[in-house]
Structures are given as structure tokens and as C-alpha cells.
Amino acid sequence: AQSVAQPEDQVNVAEGNPLTVKCTYSVSGNPYLFWYVQYPNRGLQFLLKYITGDNLVKGSYGFEAEFNKSQTSFHLKKPSALVSDSALYFCAVRDDNYGQNFVFGPGTRLSVLP
Amino acid sequence: NAGVTQTPKFQVLKTGQSMTLQCAQDMNHNSMYWYRQDPGMGLRLIYYSASEGTTDKGEVPNGYNVSRLNKREFSLRLESAAPSQTSVYFCASSEAGDRGNYGYTFGSGTRLTVV
């Protein structure tokens, strides 16, 4: 079965500093990995995905994520954080052996301090 | 604007009451989903519909029923609401019919409180 973990409930970073939001996963087949962001009182919005190809994936708002197969990780990164990046971030995984549904992590709250 | 529309946005129910949450998408997506979001637990799948005419249980289906009315609409019904169903409910849709690599488009959510 597929599963995903986000080991940090909360990440605090100063504006202008690099940020990392961690995600690890477990699948039996090949993983399809997604990051979503949720702003207050809003639905989740797609940020980026890894399906195949280059391990470094670039997405919306300057975010990127690196797929690491040996460490089964898909950490979200941004070189220079903005206060407006403060939100709840979800990692999601689908195992290509288990059909189409994704499993979501518990979410990590990112706070960027001015 | 194209997307997923959920109604209502807020609802307060008394224990034992029933209600239906409505969801409609105008992107011609095949698949639709209902999730609930609880603090510290992320999103949990209640029911999904891979295509028009089909529905399947997700991780937490007890106490809920769904109807895929047509390709656009997917409703979630609580027959007898319980306080444990207090949550934020999200509808989502996807192009994926089977083994697609597409992400989900989410609605803005329904905040339900059962007292």
C-alpha cells in the first residue's frame, strides 16, 4: 500500500532565507508525487508534480522539489522565502500499482517571518 | 471561471439531521472525489467516482453516501449527522479515468459543524 509522511508539523523561516518542506513516501511500484498548497479558507492548489524524468521539478511561485529514489523523498524547496508563502503544504503520492487515487500527507504549516 | 464549485460554504447541523453537499465541475473531468480534512490528519478520502455511473468507497466512507448525478455533479449525503462528522469537506476532480498522471482540482470547501 502507498503512504506518505511529512515529518514536520510546522516550519518557520525568515523572509529571504531558503525553505525546505520535507516529504517521504512508501510505494511498491513507481511513485507519482505531487505538492499542493492551501491558503486560509481555500481549497488545495497544485504546485508541482513528479511523474518521470528529471529528478528536479520546477513548479509554480518559484517552488521546486527534488525526487530522491534511494531516500524515498520528495522535499519541497524555494531559494528565497516570501511572507506570502505562509500556508499549509501537502505532499501526495500515488502508487502506479494501486490505481488512480492519491494518498495525502498530514500537511506542514509554513510560516515565513518578516 | 472554470473549476470546482461546492455548496454550501458553511453549515451547522444538529445531531441526527441530514443534508447533502453539492459539487459541480465544468472542466469535463472524468473523476470526482470527496475528502474530509481534519487537523493533523491531512485529507482522507470518503468516496470517489472514477467515471460517470460509478462510485467507490474510500478510506472513511461510514456515515456517508454519494451520487454521481452526471459527469459534472457529485453529491455527498449525510443521512444522520454525528458530531464526529464535524470537518471541512472538499470536493475534487481529475482528468484521470484510469492510471492518469493528473493532479486534482479542488473546490473551496464546506465547513460543517454538527452540534
Side-chain angles (χ1 to χ4, degrees):
Chain A
Q2 57 206 12
S3 66
V4 60
Q6 293 180 244
E8 300 158 318
D9 294 335
Q10 174 93 32
V11 171
N12 298 320
V13 64
E15 187 175 27
N17 283 0
L19 69 87
T20 299
V21 182
K22 296 180 180 178
C23 172
T24 59
Y25 66 90
S26 175
V27 297
S28 59
N30 293 314
Y32 300 136
L33 293 153
F34 285 66
W35 276 102
Y36 291 86
V37 59
Q38 184 182 29
Y39 298 103
N41 301 313
R42 302 289 298 277
L44 279 69
Q45 299 175 30
F46 169 78
L47 269 182
L48 51 79
K49 67 179 179 181
Y50 172 83
I51 304 299
T52 187
D54 289 341
N55 290 342
L56 185 63
V57 178
K58 294 187 183 298
S60 307
Y61 312 120
F63 283 93
E64 59 188 29
E66 186 169 10
F67 171 64
N68 187 318
K69 188 173 184 177
S70 63
Q71 296 186 6
T72 61
S73 67
F74 189 57
H75 300 332
L76 181 70
K77 300 181 180 184
K78 188 174 182 181
S80 178
L82 300 173
V83 172
S84 58
D85 293 330
S86 299
L88 191 56
Y89 290 82
F90 291 94
C91 183
V93 66
R94 183 171 77 78
D95 185 339
D96 72 348
N97 281 344
Y98 280 95
Q100 66 176 72
N101 294 333
F102 282 88
V103 172
F104 286 80
T108 297
R109 186 165 300 282
L110 173 67
S111 292
V112 181
L113 308 173
Chain B
N1 292 332
V4 178
T5 302
Q6 289 183 238
T7 56
K9 293 189 182 302
F10 301 95
Q11 184 71 50
V12 178
L13 289 178
K14 294 182 179 179
T15 298
Q17 285 186 317
S18 63
M19 77 162 295
T20 299
L21 281 63
Q22 307 287 352
C23 176
Q25 53 91 8
D26 58 5
M27 297 168 287
N28 202 35
H29 285 171
N30 288 315
S31 301
M32 297 186 74
Y33 310 83
W34 276 105
Y35 284 88
R36 60 178 289 172
Q37 182 181 25
D38 301 292
M41 303 187 74
L43 276 73
R44 293 183 291 170
L45 182 63
I46 305 171
Y47 271 92
Y48 67 99
S49 171
S51 60
E52 185 179 356
T54 70
T55 61
D56 286 286
K57 295 178 180 179
E59 182 185 355
V60 288
N62 290 344
Y64 306 95
N65 284 300
V66 290
S67 296
R68 184 74 182 266
L69 304 171
N70 47 56
K71 193 171 186 179
R72 291 187 63 249
E73 297 173 288
F74 188 41
S75 63
L76 177 71
R77 183 160 178 85
L78 287 70
E79 290 291 352
S80 179
S84 61
Q85 293 179 305
T86 294
S87 187
V88 181
Y89 291 85
F90 287 100
C91 178
S93 70
S94 169
E95 291 188 46
D98 182 34
R99 298 192 173 282
N101 300 325
Y102 305 101
Y104 295 173
T105 300
F106 284 86
S108 58
T110 296
R111 188 173 296 274
L112 175 67
T113 302
V114 183
V115 297

